Amino acid sequence: MEWEIVMGLEVHTELATKTKIFCGCSTAFGSEPNTHVCEICSGMPGTLPLLNERVVEFAVRTGLATNCQITQKTKFDRKNYFYPDLPKAYQISQLYLPICRNGYIEVKGENGEPKKIGIHEIHMEEDAGKLIHDEFEDCTLVDYNRCGVPLLEIVSEPDFRSADEVIEYLEKLRAILQFTGVSDCKMQEGSLRADVNLSVRPKGQKEFGTRTEMKNLNSFHAIARAIAYESRRQIDLLEDGEAVVQETRRWDDNKGYSYAMRSKEDAQDYKYFPEPDLPPIEISDARIEEIRESMPELPEQKKQRYREELGLPEYDTEILTGNMAFVTLFEETVKLCDSPKDVANWIMGEVMKLLNDTGTLPEDMTLAPEKLAVVIQMVKSGKINRGTGKTVLEKVFADGVDPESYVQENNLAQITDLGAIRPVLEEVIAANEKSVSEYKAGKTQAMGYIMGQAMRALKGKAPAQEVQKMLHELLD
């Protein structure tokens, strides 16, 4: 039997606000546990939340960028559940009137044609704390720093049919959130995490199968592996005549399998009711237009501009707009050296190689556009060759050296005095009589060896075309 996978995503993204959603505590990541906590976000009796207006703005920005309708009269609701990382025993969220609805993001479908992935809703809510399981002490600790950090939950329709569609959607969503300044989307810090709701059904069947939910997947690699495992697990169960149980599962990426956590909850399990401590929100047409007009250039707009104004091929635009860090580096470097294609080639080639070799995330890169521009200009002007340029960029990337000073101090500049090249070539010819004889006898491939010896003797600092031309003059 041929099976079809059906998936929907619930994506949580932490917003790039400086303070929490209902209080003035910092949202900074990586601080000492329980140092960004006050009476409000720790759920002390008698405290009242006060909405951070920036959260509403970021939600509207996201909705506009994902083709959503904005709910102009919206409100918050209480989601009630007991868990150690939730000090109030409820979460302030949105169920009945989410701020954004009925949007979409376009991806490439299985047949290669454009496919719209529906966005059912986007709602605002507060994050919970974090449990830390200390195996050495055999106890569980809780850090409430994350309590009250503002979140958007972006809920898709069950429109995905493959892991490739899921990854492309997430890549495009991440770019939108970064480009609009809504979130830094650092998955390793939990700023972007996805829950995958997955079921399988016989190909052609209209009814959905029983779904499971895999929680808090925080890398694209883990998401792809989890989808492959869970779809296979469900198919195996059904083919063996067993039933799939609706449940929440935890994915263990190190071991490569998922395991059941708890039965899957529905909305009624949380006993939602309107949040009594926060008034409804009204968003005027004028405010929505103000936010729309202040929106930065979105990924698809950038791609079009790069193609039409800068002459970049589509492949380059896809790569460069995949991460805001690449966009910033590209645009700032182009301003300095006015060579878009050269800058694109260096970023897609050497910069990405250095990131990969050192395990550095693009957003953590410290490479200054000014220094990259200098390296590119030195290569383009012939002051250094490309091989030397790669070496210099490695030092710039690793140690932040000044490229011009590094070239000068290490005597890496190209030899521009052609008169200084000739004596070196004469020495090479004299030292390689056999290859010279073979060349003169008609074995033209011998020139490659002589050329290699010449460039080695010149330490790669002479223009290759001039060296080759001079060798022909001396030998022909």
Side-chain angles (χ1 to χ4, degrees), residues 268-284:
Q268 63 267 24
D269 296 317
Y270 293 115
K271 300 179 176 63
Y272 280 96
F273 62 85
E275 170 54 54
D277 292 336
L278 288 165
I281 305 162
E282 292 196 18
I283 309 170
S284 67

Side-chain angles (χ1 to χ4, degrees), residues 197-336:
N197 290 280
L198 184 151
S199 65
V200 297
R201 64 184 177 187
K203 193 83 169 178
Q205 177 178 299
K206 291 184 179 180
E207 296 79 15
F208 291 154
T210 302
R211 66 189 170 98
T212 62
E213 180 182 29
M214 289 180 289
K215 297 288 287 184
N216 290 339
L217 297 163
N218 60 2
S219 79
F220 293 162
H221 176 73
I223 289 166
R225 293 185 71 205
I227 289 170
Y229 173 89
E230 180 60 15
S231 58
R232 186 70 258 167
R233 187 188 73 86
Q234 291 190 20
I235 290 169
D236 288 345
L237 283 172
L238 294 171
E239 289 184 341
D240 289 342
E242 300 180 44
V244 175
V245 176
Q246 182 174 327
E247 62 190 0
T248 300
R249 299 181 68 85
R250 174 74 68 183
W251 171 252
D252 188 323
D253 201 44
N254 293 323
K255 296 179 180 178
Y257 68 82
S258 66
Y259 55 90
M261 291 172 60
R262 58 181 181 267
S263 60
K264 174 72 177 140
E265 302 92 342
D266 290 314
Q268 63 267 24
D269 296 317
Y270 293 115
K271 300 179 176 63
Y272 280 96
F273 62 85
E275 170 54 54
D277 292 336
L278 288 165
I281 305 162
E282 292 196 18
I283 309 170
S284 67
D285 291 337
R287 180 60 178 141
I288 292 173
E289 285 310 306
E290 183 183 349
I291 294 171
R292 193 193 304 275
E293 290 174 9
S294 70
M295 293 267 284
E297 197 174 37
L298 295 173
E300 293 304 319
Q301 296 168 325
K302 276 195 186 294
K303 290 177 192 176
Q304 183 177 353
R305 179 168 63 84
Y306 288 174
R307 289 193 301 268
E308 295 177 358
E309 295 182 15
L310 304 182
L312 294 184
E314 186 171 350
Y315 175 81
D316 294 20
T317 67
E318 289 285 344
I319 299 297
L320 292 173
T321 57
N323 192 291
M324 193 62 197
F326 293 141
V327 168
T328 302
L329 181 62
F330 172 73
E331 294 188 353
E332 292 301 315
T333 306
V334 168
K335 286 179 186 176
L336 296 166

Side-chain angles (χ1 to χ4, degrees), residues 49 93 110 148 256-257 261 268 291 296 357 370 389 400 471:
S93 181
E110 290 180 301
Y257 68 82
M261 291 172 60
Q268 63 267 24
I291 294 171
D357 290 348
E370 296 81 6
L471 278 174

Side-chain angles (χ1 to χ4, degrees), residues 55-76:
V55 174
V56 178
E57 178 189 336
F58 281 0
V60 173
R61 272 196 212 179
T62 305
L64 294 174
T66 53
N67 309 292
C68 287
Q69 300 169 4
I70 307 302
T71 306
Q72 293 183 253
K73 292 185 177 181
T74 184
K75 65 182 181 65
F76 285 98

